[in-house]
CSV table of all heavy atoms in Angstrom, one decimal:
chain,number,residue,atom,x,y,z
A,1,MET,N,12.6,-1.4,-9.0
A,1,MET,CA,11.3,-0.8,-8.8
A,1,MET,C,11.3,0.7,-9.0
A,1,MET,O,10.4,1.4,-8.8
A,1,MET,CB,10.8,-1.2,-7.5
A,1,MET,CG,10.2,-2.5,-7.4
A,1,MET,SD,9.3,-2.8,-5.8
A,1,MET,CE,10.0,-4.4,-5.4
A,2,ALA,N,12.5,1.2,-9.4
A,2,ALA,CA,12.6,2.7,-9.6
A,2,ALA,C,11.7,3.2,-10.7
A,2,ALA,O,11.3,4.4,-10.7
A,2,ALA,CB,14.0,3.0,-9.9
A,3,GLN,N,11.3,2.3,-11.6
A,3,GLN,CA,10.4,2.7,-12.7
A,3,GLN,C,8.9,2.9,-12.3
A,3,GLN,O,8.1,3.4,-13.0
A,3,GLN,CB,10.5,1.8,-13.9
A,3,GLN,CG,9.9,0.4,-13.7
A,3,GLN,CD,10.8,-0.5,-12.9
A,3,GLN,OE1,11.8,-0.2,-12.4
A,3,GLN,NE2,10.5,-1.9,-12.9
A,4,LEU,N,8.6,2.5,-11.0
A,4,LEU,CA,7.2,2.6,-10.6
A,4,LEU,C,6.8,4.1,-10.3
A,4,LEU,O,7.7,4.8,-9.9
A,4,LEU,CB,7.0,1.8,-9.3
A,4,LEU,CG,7.2,0.2,-9.5
A,4,LEU,CD1,7.0,-0.4,-8.1
A,4,LEU,CD2,6.1,-0.3,-10.4
A,5,ARG,N,5.6,4.4,-10.5
A,5,ARG,CA,5.1,5.7,-10.3
A,5,ARG,C,4.3,5.7,-9.0
A,5,ARG,O,3.2,5.2,-8.9
A,5,ARG,CB,4.2,6.1,-11.4
A,5,ARG,CG,3.8,7.6,-11.3
A,5,ARG,CD,3.1,8.0,-12.5
A,5,ARG,NE,2.5,9.3,-12.4
A,5,ARG,CZ,1.9,9.9,-13.3
A,5,ARG,NH1,1.6,9.3,-14.4
A,5,ARG,NH2,1.3,11.1,-13.0
A,6,TRP,N,5.0,6.2,-7.9
A,6,TRP,CA,4.4,6.1,-6.6
A,6,TRP,C,3.4,7.2,-6.3
A,6,TRP,O,3.6,8.3,-6.7
A,6,TRP,CB,5.5,6.2,-5.5
A,6,TRP,CG,6.4,5.0,-5.5
A,6,TRP,CD1,7.6,4.9,-6.2
A,6,TRP,CD2,6.2,3.7,-5.0
A,6,TRP,NE1,8.1,3.7,-6.1
A,6,TRP,CE2,7.2,2.9,-5.3
A,6,TRP,CE3,5.1,3.2,-4.2
A,6,TRP,CZ2,7.4,1.6,-4.9
A,6,TRP,CZ3,5.2,1.8,-3.8
A,6,TRP,CH2,6.3,1.1,-4.1
A,7,GLN,N,2.3,6.8,-5.7
A,7,GLN,CA,1.2,7.8,-5.3
A,7,GLN,C,1.0,7.7,-3.8
A,7,GLN,O,0.8,6.7,-3.2
A,7,GLN,CB,0.0,7.5,-6.0
A,7,GLN,CG,-1.2,8.4,-5.8
A,7,GLN,CD,-2.4,8.0,-6.5
A,7,GLN,OE1,-2.4,7.2,-7.5
A,7,GLN,NE2,-3.5,8.6,-6.2
A,8,LYS,N,0.9,8.9,-3.2
A,8,LYS,CA,0.7,9.0,-1.8
A,8,LYS,C,-0.8,8.6,-1.5
A,8,LYS,O,-1.7,8.9,-2.2
A,8,LYS,CB,0.9,10.4,-1.3
A,8,LYS,CG,0.7,10.6,0.2
A,8,LYS,CD,1.1,12.1,0.5
A,8,LYS,CE,0.8,12.3,2.0
A,8,LYS,NZ,1.2,13.7,2.4
A,9,SER,N,-1.0,7.8,-0.4
A,9,SER,CA,-2.3,7.4,0.0
A,9,SER,C,-3.1,8.6,0.4
A,9,SER,O,-2.6,9.5,1.0
A,9,SER,CB,-2.2,6.5,1.2
A,9,SER,OG,-3.4,6.2,1.7
A,10,SER,N,-4.4,8.6,0.0
A,10,SER,CA,-5.3,9.6,0.4
A,10,SER,C,-5.7,9.6,1.9
A,10,SER,O,-6.1,10.6,2.4
A,10,SER,CB,-6.6,9.5,-0.4
A,10,SER,OG,-7.3,8.3,-0.1
A,11,PHE,N,-5.2,8.5,2.6
A,11,PHE,CA,-5.4,8.4,4.0
A,11,PHE,C,-4.3,9.0,4.8
A,11,PHE,O,-4.3,9.1,6.1
A,11,PHE,CB,-5.7,7.0,4.4
A,11,PHE,CG,-7.0,6.4,4.0
A,11,PHE,CD1,-7.1,5.6,2.9
A,11,PHE,CD2,-8.2,6.8,4.6
A,11,PHE,CE1,-8.2,5.1,2.4
A,11,PHE,CE2,-9.4,6.3,4.2
A,11,PHE,CZ,-9.4,5.4,3.0
A,12,SER,N,-3.2,9.4,4.2
A,12,SER,CA,-2.0,9.9,4.8
A,12,SER,C,-2.3,11.4,5.3
A,12,SER,O,-3.1,12.0,4.6
A,12,SER,CB,-0.8,10.0,3.9
A,12,SER,OG,-0.5,8.6,3.6
A,13,GLU,N,-1.8,11.8,6.3
A,13,GLU,CA,-2.0,13.2,6.8
A,13,GLU,C,-1.3,14.2,5.9
A,13,GLU,O,-0.2,13.9,5.4
A,13,GLU,CB,-1.5,13.3,8.2
A,13,GLU,CG,-2.2,12.5,9.3
A,13,GLU,CD,-1.7,12.7,10.7
A,13,GLU,OE1,-1.1,13.8,10.9
A,13,GLU,OE2,-1.7,11.8,11.5
A,14,GLY,N,-2.0,15.3,5.7
A,14,GLY,CA,-1.4,16.3,4.8
A,14,GLY,C,0.0,16.8,5.0
A,14,GLY,O,0.8,16.8,4.1
A,15,GLY,N,0.2,17.2,6.2
A,15,GLY,CA,1.6,17.7,6.5
A,15,GLY,C,2.5,16.8,7.1
A,15,GLY,O,3.6,17.2,7.5
A,16,ALA,N,2.2,15.5,7.2
A,16,ALA,CA,3.1,14.5,7.9
A,16,ALA,C,4.3,14.2,7.1
A,16,ALA,O,4.3,14.2,5.8
A,16,ALA,CB,2.3,13.3,8.2
A,17,ASP,N,5.4,13.9,7.7
A,17,ASP,CA,6.7,13.4,7.1
A,17,ASP,C,6.5,12.0,6.6
A,17,ASP,O,7.3,11.6,5.6
A,17,ASP,CB,7.8,13.6,8.0
A,17,ASP,CG,8.1,15.1,8.2
A,17,ASP,OD1,7.8,15.9,7.4
A,17,ASP,OD2,8.8,15.3,9.3
A,18,THR,N,5.7,11.2,7.2
A,18,THR,CA,5.6,9.8,6.8
A,18,THR,C,4.2,9.6,6.2
A,18,THR,O,3.2,10.2,6.6
A,18,THR,CB,5.8,8.9,8.0
A,18,THR,OG1,4.8,9.2,8.9
A,18,THR,CG2,7.2,9.0,8.5
A,19,CYS,N,4.2,8.7,5.2
A,19,CYS,CA,2.9,8.3,4.5
A,19,CYS,C,3.1,7.0,3.8
A,19,CYS,O,4.2,6.5,3.5
A,19,CYS,CB,2.5,9.4,3.6
A,19,CYS,SG,3.5,9.6,2.1
A,20,VAL,N,2.0,6.4,3.5
A,20,VAL,CA,2.0,5.2,2.8
A,20,VAL,C,1.9,5.5,1.3
A,20,VAL,O,1.1,6.4,0.9
A,20,VAL,CB,0.8,4.2,3.1
A,20,VAL,CG1,0.7,3.1,2.3
A,20,VAL,CG2,1.0,3.8,4.6
A,21,GLU,N,2.6,4.9,0.4
A,21,GLU,CA,2.6,5.2,-1.0
A,21,GLU,C,2.2,3.8,-1.7
A,21,GLU,O,2.6,2.8,-1.3
A,21,GLU,CB,3.9,5.7,-1.5
A,21,GLU,CG,4.3,7.0,-0.9
A,21,GLU,CD,5.7,7.5,-1.3
A,21,GLU,OE1,6.6,6.6,-1.3
A,21,GLU,OE2,5.8,8.7,-1.6
A,22,VAL,N,1.6,4.0,-2.8
A,22,VAL,CA,1.2,2.8,-3.6
A,22,VAL,C,1.5,2.9,-5.0
A,22,VAL,O,1.5,4.1,-5.6
A,22,VAL,CB,-0.4,2.6,-3.4
A,22,VAL,CG1,-1.2,3.6,-4.0
A,22,VAL,CG2,-0.7,1.2,-4.0
A,23,ALA,N,1.8,1.9,-5.7
A,23,ALA,CA,2.1,1.9,-7.2
A,23,ALA,C,1.6,0.7,-7.8
A,23,ALA,O,1.5,-0.4,-7.1
A,23,ALA,CB,3.6,2.0,-7.4
A,24,LEU,N,1.2,0.8,-9.1
A,24,LEU,CA,0.7,-0.4,-9.9
A,24,LEU,C,1.7,-0.6,-10.9
A,24,LEU,O,2.1,0.3,-11.7
A,24,LEU,CB,-0.7,0.0,-10.4
A,24,LEU,CG,-1.4,-1.1,-11.2
A,24,LEU,CD1,-1.7,-2.4,-10.3
A,24,LEU,CD2,-2.7,-0.5,-11.8
A,25,ASP,N,2.1,-1.9,-11.1
A,25,ASP,CA,3.1,-2.2,-12.2
A,25,ASP,C,2.3,-2.7,-13.5
A,25,ASP,O,1.0,-2.8,-13.4
A,25,ASP,CB,4.2,-3.1,-11.8
A,25,ASP,CG,3.7,-4.6,-11.5
A,25,ASP,OD1,2.6,-5.0,-12.0
A,25,ASP,OD2,4.5,-5.3,-10.8
A,26,LEU,N,3.0,-2.9,-14.5
A,26,LEU,CA,2.4,-3.3,-15.8
A,26,LEU,C,1.7,-4.7,-15.7
A,26,LEU,O,0.9,-5.1,-16.6
A,26,LEU,CB,3.4,-3.3,-16.9
A,26,LEU,CG,4.0,-1.8,-17.2
A,26,LEU,CD1,5.1,-1.9,-18.3
A,26,LEU,CD2,2.8,-0.9,-17.6
A,27,THR,N,2.1,-5.6,-14.7
A,27,THR,CA,1.6,-6.9,-14.6
A,27,THR,C,0.3,-6.9,-13.7
A,27,THR,O,-0.4,-7.9,-13.6
A,27,THR,CB,2.5,-7.9,-14.0
A,27,THR,OG1,2.9,-7.5,-12.7
A,27,THR,CG2,3.8,-7.9,-14.9
A,28,GLY,N,0.0,-5.7,-13.2
A,28,GLY,CA,-1.3,-5.6,-12.4
A,28,GLY,C,-1.0,-5.8,-10.8
A,28,GLY,O,-1.9,-5.8,-10.1
A,29,HIS,N,0.3,-5.9,-10.4
A,29,HIS,CA,0.6,-6.1,-9.0
A,29,HIS,C,0.6,-4.7,-8.4
A,29,HIS,O,1.1,-3.7,-8.9
A,29,HIS,CB,2.0,-6.8,-8.9
A,29,HIS,CG,1.9,-8.3,-9.2
A,29,HIS,ND1,2.2,-8.7,-10.4
A,29,HIS,CD2,1.7,-9.3,-8.5
A,29,HIS,CE1,2.1,-10.0,-10.5
A,29,HIS,NE2,1.7,-10.4,-9.3
A,30,LEU,N,0.2,-4.7,-7.1
A,30,LEU,CA,0.3,-3.5,-6.3
A,30,LEU,C,1.5,-3.5,-5.4
A,30,LEU,O,1.9,-4.5,-4.9
A,30,LEU,CB,-1.0,-3.4,-5.4
A,30,LEU,CG,-2.2,-3.1,-6.1
A,30,LEU,CD1,-3.4,-3.4,-5.1
A,30,LEU,CD2,-2.2,-1.7,-6.6
A,31,HIS,N,2.1,-2.3,-5.3
A,31,HIS,CA,3.4,-2.2,-4.4
A,31,HIS,C,3.0,-1.2,-3.4
A,31,HIS,O,2.5,-0.1,-3.7
A,31,HIS,CB,4.5,-1.9,-5.3
A,31,HIS,CG,4.8,-2.8,-6.4
A,31,HIS,ND1,5.6,-3.9,-6.3
A,31,HIS,CD2,4.4,-2.7,-7.6
A,31,HIS,CE1,5.6,-4.5,-7.4
A,31,HIS,NE2,4.9,-3.8,-8.3
A,32,LEU,N,3.4,-1.5,-2.2
A,32,LEU,CA,3.2,-0.5,-1.0
A,32,LEU,C,4.5,-0.3,-0.3
A,32,LEU,O,5.3,-1.2,-0.1
A,32,LEU,CB,2.1,-1.2,0.0
A,32,LEU,CG,0.8,-1.5,-0.6
A,32,LEU,CD1,0.1,-2.6,0.3
A,32,LEU,CD2,-0.1,-0.2,-0.7
A,33,ARG,N,4.6,0.9,0.1
A,33,ARG,CA,5.8,1.3,0.9
A,33,ARG,C,5.5,2.5,1.8
A,33,ARG,O,4.5,3.2,1.5
A,33,ARG,CB,7.0,1.6,0.0
A,33,ARG,CG,6.8,2.9,-0.7
A,33,ARG,CD,8.0,3.2,-1.6
A,33,ARG,NE,8.0,4.5,-2.2
A,33,ARG,CZ,8.8,5.0,-3.1
A,33,ARG,NH1,9.9,4.3,-3.4
A,33,ARG,NH2,8.6,6.1,-3.6
A,34,GLU,N,6.4,2.7,2.8
A,34,GLU,CA,6.3,3.9,3.6
A,34,GLU,C,7.4,4.8,3.0
A,34,GLU,O,8.5,4.3,2.8
A,34,GLU,CB,6.5,3.6,5.1
A,34,GLU,CG,5.4,2.9,5.8
A,34,GLU,CD,5.6,2.8,7.3
A,34,GLU,OE1,5.9,3.9,7.8
A,34,GLU,OE2,5.4,1.8,7.8
A,35,ASN,N,7.1,6.1,2.9
A,35,ASN,CA,8.0,6.9,2.2
A,35,ASN,C,9.3,7.1,3.1
A,35,ASN,O,10.3,7.5,2.5
A,35,ASN,CB,7.4,8.3,1.8
A,35,ASN,CG,7.1,9.2,3.0
A,35,ASN,OD1,7.0,8.7,4.2
A,35,ASN,ND2,7.0,10.4,2.7
A,36,ASP,N,9.3,6.9,4.4
A,36,ASP,CA,10.5,7.0,5.2
A,36,ASP,C,11.4,5.8,5.1
A,36,ASP,O,12.5,5.9,5.5
A,36,ASP,CB,10.1,7.4,6.7
A,36,ASP,CG,9.3,6.4,7.3
A,36,ASP,OD1,8.8,5.5,6.7
A,36,ASP,OD2,9.3,6.3,8.6
A,37,THR,N,10.9,4.7,4.5
A,37,THR,CA,11.8,3.5,4.3
A,37,THR,C,11.4,3.0,2.9
A,37,THR,O,10.9,1.9,2.7
A,37,THR,CB,11.6,2.4,5.3
A,37,THR,OG1,10.2,2.1,5.4
A,37,THR,CG2,12.0,2.8,6.6
A,38,PRO,N,11.8,3.7,1.8
A,38,PRO,CA,11.3,3.4,0.5
A,38,PRO,C,11.9,2.1,-0.1
A,38,PRO,O,11.4,1.6,-1.1
A,38,PRO,CB,11.7,4.6,-0.4
A,38,PRO,CG,12.8,5.3,0.4
A,38,PRO,CD,12.5,5.0,1.8
A,39,ALA,N,13.0,1.7,0.5
A,39,ALA,CA,13.6,0.4,-0.1
A,39,ALA,C,12.8,-0.9,0.4
A,39,ALA,O,12.9,-1.9,-0.2
A,39,ALA,CB,15.0,0.3,0.4
A,40,THR,N,11.9,-0.8,1.4
A,40,THR,CA,11.1,-1.8,1.9
A,40,THR,C,9.8,-1.7,1.2
A,40,THR,O,9.0,-0.7,1.5
A,40,THR,CB,10.9,-1.7,3.4
A,40,THR,OG1,12.2,-1.7,4.0
A,40,THR,CG2,10.1,-2.9,3.9
A,41,VAL,N,9.6,-2.7,0.3
A,41,VAL,CA,8.2,-2.6,-0.5
A,41,VAL,C,7.6,-4.0,-0.4
A,41,VAL,O,8.1,-5.1,-0.4
A,41,VAL,CB,8.6,-2.5,-2.0
A,41,VAL,CG1,7.4,-2.5,-2.9
A,41,VAL,CG2,9.4,-1.1,-2.1
A,42,ILE,N,6.2,-3.9,-0.2
A,42,ILE,CA,5.4,-5.1,-0.1
A,42,ILE,C,4.7,-5.1,-1.4
A,42,ILE,O,4.1,-4.2,-2.0
A,42,ILE,CB,4.3,-5.0,1.0
A,42,ILE,CG1,4.9,-4.9,2.4
A,42,ILE,CG2,3.3,-6.1,0.9
A,42,ILE,CD1,4.1,-4.6,3.5
A,43,THR,N,4.6,-6.3,-2.1
A,43,THR,CA,4.1,-6.5,-3.4
A,43,THR,C,3.0,-7.5,-3.3
A,43,THR,O,3.1,-8.6,-2.6
A,43,THR,CB,5.1,-7.0,-4.4
A,43,THR,OG1,6.1,-6.0,-4.5
A,43,THR,CG2,4.5,-7.1,-5.8
A,44,ALA,N,1.8,-7.2,-3.9
A,44,ALA,CA,0.7,-8.2,-3.7
A,44,ALA,C,-0.2,-8.0,-5.0
A,44,ALA,O,-0.2,-7.0,-5.7
A,44,ALA,CB,-0.2,-7.8,-2.5
A,45,GLU,N,-0.9,-9.1,-5.3
A,45,GLU,CA,-2.0,-9.1,-6.3
A,45,GLU,C,-3.1,-8.3,-5.7
A,45,GLU,O,-3.4,-8.4,-4.4
A,45,GLU,CB,-2.4,-10.5,-6.7
A,45,GLU,CG,-1.3,-11.2,-7.5
A,45,GLU,CD,-1.8,-12.6,-7.9
A,45,GLU,OE1,-3.0,-12.9,-7.9
A,45,GLU,OE2,-0.9,-13.3,-8.3
A,46,PRO,N,-3.8,-7.5,-6.5
A,46,PRO,CA,-5.0,-6.7,-6.0
A,46,PRO,C,-6.0,-7.6,-5.2
A,46,PRO,O,-6.5,-7.1,-4.1
A,46,PRO,CB,-5.7,-6.2,-7.2
A,46,PRO,CG,-4.5,-6.0,-8.2
A,46,PRO,CD,-3.7,-7.2,-7.9
A,47,SER,N,-6.3,-8.8,-5.6
A,47,SER,CA,-7.3,-9.6,-4.9
A,47,SER,C,-6.8,-10.1,-3.5
A,47,SER,O,-7.5,-10.1,-2.6
A,47,SER,CB,-7.6,-10.8,-5.7
A,47,SER,OG,-6.5,-11.7,-6.0
A,48,ALA,N,-5.5,-10.4,-3.4
A,48,ALA,CA,-4.9,-10.8,-2.1
A,48,ALA,C,-4.8,-9.6,-1.2
A,48,ALA,O,-5.1,-9.7,0.0
A,48,ALA,CB,-3.5,-11.2,-2.3
A,49,LEU,N,-4.6,-8.4,-1.7
A,49,LEU,CA,-4.5,-7.2,-0.8
A,49,LEU,C,-6.0,-6.8,-0.4
A,49,LEU,O,-6.2,-6.5,0.8
A,49,LEU,CB,-3.9,-6.0,-1.5
A,49,LEU,CG,-3.8,-4.8,-0.7
A,49,LEU,CD1,-3.0,-5.0,0.5
A,49,LEU,CD2,-3.2,-3.7,-1.6
A,50,ALA,N,-7.0,-7.0,-1.3
A,50,ALA,CA,-8.3,-6.7,-1.0
A,50,ALA,C,-8.8,-7.7,0.1
A,50,ALA,O,-9.6,-7.4,1.1
A,50,ALA,CB,-9.3,-6.9,-2.2
A,51,ALA,N,-8.4,-9.0,0.1
A,51,ALA,CA,-8.8,-10.0,1.1
A,51,ALA,C,-8.2,-9.6,2.4
A,51,ALA,O,-8.8,-9.8,3.5
A,51,ALA,CB,-8.3,-11.4,0.6
A,52,LEU,N,-6.9,-9.2,2.4
A,52,LEU,CA,-6.2,-8.8,3.7
A,52,LEU,C,-7.0,-7.7,4.3
A,52,LEU,O,-7.3,-7.7,5.5
A,52,LEU,CB,-4.8,-8.5,3.4
A,52,LEU,CG,-4.1,-7.9,4.6
A,52,LEU,CD1,-3.9,-8.9,5.7
A,52,LEU,CD2,-2.7,-7.4,4.2
A,53,ILE,N,-7.3,-6.6,3.5
A,53,ILE,CA,-8.0,-5.4,4.1
A,53,ILE,C,-9.4,-5.8,4.6
A,53,ILE,O,-9.7,-5.3,5.6
A,53,ILE,CB,-8.1,-4.3,2.9
A,53,ILE,CG1,-6.6,-3.8,2.7
A,53,ILE,CG2,-9.0,-3.2,3.3
A,53,ILE,CD1,-6.5,-2.9,1.5
A,54,THR,N,-10.1,-6.6,3.8
A,54,THR,CA,-11.4,-7.1,4.4
A,54,THR,C,-11.3,-7.7,5.6
A,54,THR,O,-12.0,-7.5,6.6
A,54,THR,CB,-12.0,-7.9,3.3
A,54,THR,OG1,-12.2,-7.2,2.1
A,54,THR,CG2,-13.4,-8.5,3.7
A,55,ARG,N,-10.3,-8.6,5.8
A,55,ARG,CA,-10.1,-9.4,7.0
A,55,ARG,C,-9.7,-8.5,8.2
A,55,ARG,O,-10.3,-8.6,9.3
A,55,ARG,CB,-9.0,-10.4,6.8
A,55,ARG,CG,-8.6,-11.3,8.1
A,55,ARG,CD,-9.9,-12.0,8.6
A,55,ARG,NE,-9.7,-12.5,9.9
A,55,ARG,CZ,-9.4,-13.7,10.2
A,55,ARG,NH1,-9.4,-14.6,9.3
A,55,ARG,NH2,-9.3,-14.1,11.5
A,56,VAL,N,-8.8,-7.5,7.9
A,56,VAL,CA,-8.4,-6.6,9.0
A,56,VAL,C,-9.5,-5.8,9.4
A,56,VAL,O,-9.8,-5.6,10.6
A,56,VAL,CB,-7.2,-5.7,8.5
A,56,VAL,CG1,-7.0,-4.6,9.5
A,56,VAL,CG2,-6.0,-6.6,8.3
A,57,LYS,N,-10.4,-5.3,8.5
A,57,LYS,CA,-11.5,-4.5,8.9
A,57,LYS,C,-12.5,-5.3,9.7
A,57,LYS,O,-13.1,-4.8,10.7
A,57,LYS,CB,-12.2,-4.0,7.6
A,57,LYS,CG,-11.6,-2.8,6.9
A,57,LYS,CD,-12.3,-2.3,5.7
A,57,LYS,CE,-11.7,-1.1,5.1
A,57,LYS,NZ,-12.6,-0.6,3.9
A,58,GLY,N,-12.7,-6.6,9.3
A,58,GLY,CA,-13.6,-7.4,10.0
A,58,GLY,C,-13.1,-7.7,11.5
A,58,GLY,O,-13.9,-7.7,12.4
A,59,ASP,N,-11.8,-7.9,11.6
A,59,ASP,CA,-11.3,-8.1,12.9
A,59,ASP,C,-11.3,-6.9,13.8
A,59,ASP,O,-11.6,-7.0,15.0
A,59,ASP,CB,-9.8,-8.6,12.8
A,59,ASP,CG,-9.6,-10.0,12.4
A,59,ASP,OD1,-10.7,-10.8,12.3
A,59,ASP,OD2,-8.5,-10.4,12.1
A,60,ILE,N,-11.2,-5.7,13.2
A,60,ILE,CA,-11.3,-4.5,14.0
A,60,ILE,C,-12.7,-4.3,14.5
A,60,ILE,O,-13.0,-3.9,15.6
A,60,ILE,CB,-10.9,-3.3,13.2
A,60,ILE,CG1,-9.3,-3.3,12.9
A,60,ILE,CG2,-11.2,-1.9,13.8
A,60,ILE,CD1,-8.9,-2.3,11.9
A,61,ARG,N,-13.7,-4.6,13.6
A,61,ARG,CA,-15.1,-4.5,14.0
A,61,ARG,C,-15.5,-5.5,15.1
A,61,ARG,O,-16.3,-5.2,15.9
A,61,ARG,CB,-16.0,-4.6,12.7
A,61,ARG,CG,-15.9,-3.4,11.9
A,61,ARG,CD,-16.9,-3.5,10.7
A,61,ARG,NE,-16.6,-2.6,9.6
A,61,ARG,CZ,-16.4,-2.8,8.4
A,61,ARG,NH1,-16.6,-4.0,7.9
A,61,ARG,NH2,-16.1,-1.9,7.5
A,62,THR,N,-15.0,-6.7,15.0
A,62,THR,CA,-15.5,-7.7,15.9
A,62,THR,C,-14.6,-7.9,17.1
A,62,THR,O,-14.8,-8.6,18.0
A,62,THR,CB,-15.5,-9.1,15.1
A,62,THR,OG1,-14.2,-9.5,14.7
A,62,THR,CG2,-16.5,-9.0,14.0
A,63,GLY,N,-13.4,-7.2,17.1
A,63,GLY,CA,-12.5,-7.3,18.2
A,63,GLY,C,-11.8,-8.7,18.2
A,63,GLY,O,-11.0,-9.0,19.1
A,64,GLY,N,-11.7,-9.3,17.0
A,64,GLY,CA,-11.0,-10.6,16.9
A,64,GLY,C,-9.7,-10.5,16.1
A,64,GLY,O,-8.8,-10.9,15.9
């Protein structure tokens, strides 16, 4: 995964030492990692990640 071009999340704090980074590979898969543990990477298809985010947001709003 060294060939991936990592981008810092816009939700990360400006001066913080830790942040979430995201990269997109040539097959369309998204890769997520925290910059303080770059060897640990989560890989997902965009639709699966979108479904997870939608579910998490819904659970936060409803308390479930």
Side-chain angles (χ1 to χ4, degrees):
M1 281 189 226
Q3 70 278 12
L4 293 175
R5 188 170 171 184
W6 294 98
Q7 180 178 347
K8 184 177 177 178
S9 169
S10 61
F11 290 100
S12 297
E13 293 182 31
D17 290 338
T18 60
C19 67
V20 174
E21 297 175 317
V22 64
L24 181 67
D25 68 22
L26 296 175
T27 65
H29 288 92
L30 290 168
H31 305 274
L32 300 159
R33 70 180 184 183
E34 289 190 46
N35 72 337
D36 60 343
T37 54
T40 303
V41 177
I42 297 171
T43 302
E45 293 182 12
S47 60
L49 184 58
L52 173 65
I53 292 169
T54 299
R55 176 61 194 256
V56 169
K57 284 183 176 181
D59 283 351
I60 290 170
R61 288 185 194 130
T62 63

